[in-house]
Amino acid sequence: MSTGIEKEMWTTKLRKAWQKNLPVEKLLPDTQPAYVASWIYMFGVATLASLGVIIASGLWLSFEGASWYHYSSVGHFVNSIHFWAVQFFFIFMVVHLWGKFWMAAWRGKRMMTWVTGALAFVGSIATAFTGYLIQTNFDSQWISYEAKDGFNSVGIGSKFNVTNFGQMILLHVAFLPVIIGVITLIHVLLVRSKGVVPPIDAFNKELGERK
Amino acid sequence: MSDRRTELEAAPWGGRTRRYDLIKEGVVAVVIIAILAAVLSTLFGSPDDKQITFKDWAVSAPADFYATSVQELAGTSGTAGYGAPYNTASDGVNLGPLHLAKIMGVTHPVDTVNDFVITPLTTVSNAAPVADALKLWQASDAKQQSTWATNYDTALTKANQDASKVPTGDYGPVPELAAGLLTMAQAGSLDGALLSQGNYFQSDNTKQTLFLGDGSYFNDQSTASNLQGDTWGMMNETGRYPGQAWLWLYSFWYQIPPFNNEDNHPFGANADAWIMVIMGGLSLGLIIMPLIPGVRSLPYKIKIHRLIWKNYYQEENL
């Protein structure tokens, strides 16, 4: 039984809002609407799975250091896993994005689900870019030299210096993954909370419409 | 879109359902992706073209390195004339009346004369001609230094970077300084000196990268690897590997008029800035796309969704 004081507590308000919008049955469902039965739905989870492999291989690389993969065969293998997982990640995410566009997946008050997904895509490009800058090889030398002109041209280079290896490695392994992680978490929670968007024509009968 | 339709689409699904094991799906997906990545890693590895050092440059293309060193002393290199955030030599590119880099100021100061040539030379023990040249340079005023360096840079350019064909002239200690830096680079001492600039801890490669880019050698290597911007280079990778293909749209603008012509004003000459603005706008457009009239209606007009939900539509006779 709650008292008036409890009702005003931030913790109480957060718990109640959480229970209302995302009960555990929604967070960990064992059923899905019957329309969630297309190959296109695989690409969302495939993107997340790729991100998991990227994070795991990235953590390993970060413990060993940026130059490890140049002289260690194990290092080269782990770096290769990281490299190919990034390629998978973007392929799956782009297909997922296109799929959601053609579903008009922002319908039914799901605008923020779309926004967080698009933010995750743009943020992932920035994160991957900083990864290419810290390869400590010829490619990263050239990319940093060329990219500086783009960032300098609009003044961003004054704070985001792509030729500063120290800044780029910190952004790649700390700041940007945290940002991407938080955005992705919000995106997934929104999907669970709002549910998978129904087919465009699902309610035509209820609305007496023919399309 | 009617409010009633929006409410129906937002409400918890009350129709038919099917079994769904979320955790199992996630675990299986991670395992499959990890296996696929491991297979590709075993078969193809990953790109890793060796980094270029100043020793590589000085040994492979000594004339280019020597001439670039002279340009750094004369203030005629790309970095010396760049402008913000490295120096105040120029206003940089613009977006109409806005020179954004200039507005942000010189946040990473680079003095090509001292940072690239004089300070590194002072960190090593030099042969007599170089040591004497260094003393003479440091004892002279800026105007004299500039006169010597400009005279020699001009003469060397006329001689097609062949120092042996430069006629005698008022060059002061410049030839000896450039020769000393070349010797230092060939010995492998310049990389560390450029990075450390007399300090112990250092993780900023800005000065190394700018100096390297001022010469032709670095550019030539990237051209050979198909990495130049005008050949979709920013989405390419060294070797036969996929690069940042997701940058295709960014790279695309550099391939078409007016952005692919540096002589075109105002867009080609300021392509970097305009393309950043275009891509910033397109990125914002992607994020808020559900609010953009016309674009948000495409899924209703081009009915790809009927393919996606083909089975459901058949089962429900929709």
Side-chain angles (χ1 to χ4, degrees), chain A residues 132-143:
Chain A
Y132 277 81
L133 291 171
I134 62 166
Q135 296 173 93
T136 58
N137 59 13
F138 170 61
D139 196 37
S140 57
Q141 284 178 303
W142 179 251
I143 291 172

Side-chain angles (χ1 to χ4, degrees), chain A residues 30 32 34 36 41 70 80 84 101 107 109-110 114 138-139 141 149 161 163 166 201 204-205 209, chain B residues 5 7 9 16 18 20 45-46 48-49 52 82 203 206 227 237 286 289 299-300 306 309 313 316:
Chain A
D30 48 19
Q32 283 282 38
V36 185
Y41 288 105
H70 295 312
S80 302
W84 288 108
F101 173 76
R107 288 174 294 120
K109 301 178 181 177
R110 292 175 177 82
W114 173 273
F138 170 61
D139 196 37
Q141 284 178 303
D149 296 330
N161 180 11
T163 54
D201 301 323
N204 286 358
K205 290 176 183 172
E209 294 178 11
Chain B
R5 179 178 287 277
E7 290 303 323
E9 289 174 342
R16 290 184 297 114
R18 66 181 185 86
Y20 174 64
S46 52
D48 189 20
D49 278 25
I52 291 178
Y82 195 92
S203 60
T206 299
L227 295 178
E237 176 57 271
L286 174 70
M289 195 167 58
Y300 299 94
R306 295 201 70 88
W309 289 306
Y313 279 23
E316 296 293 322

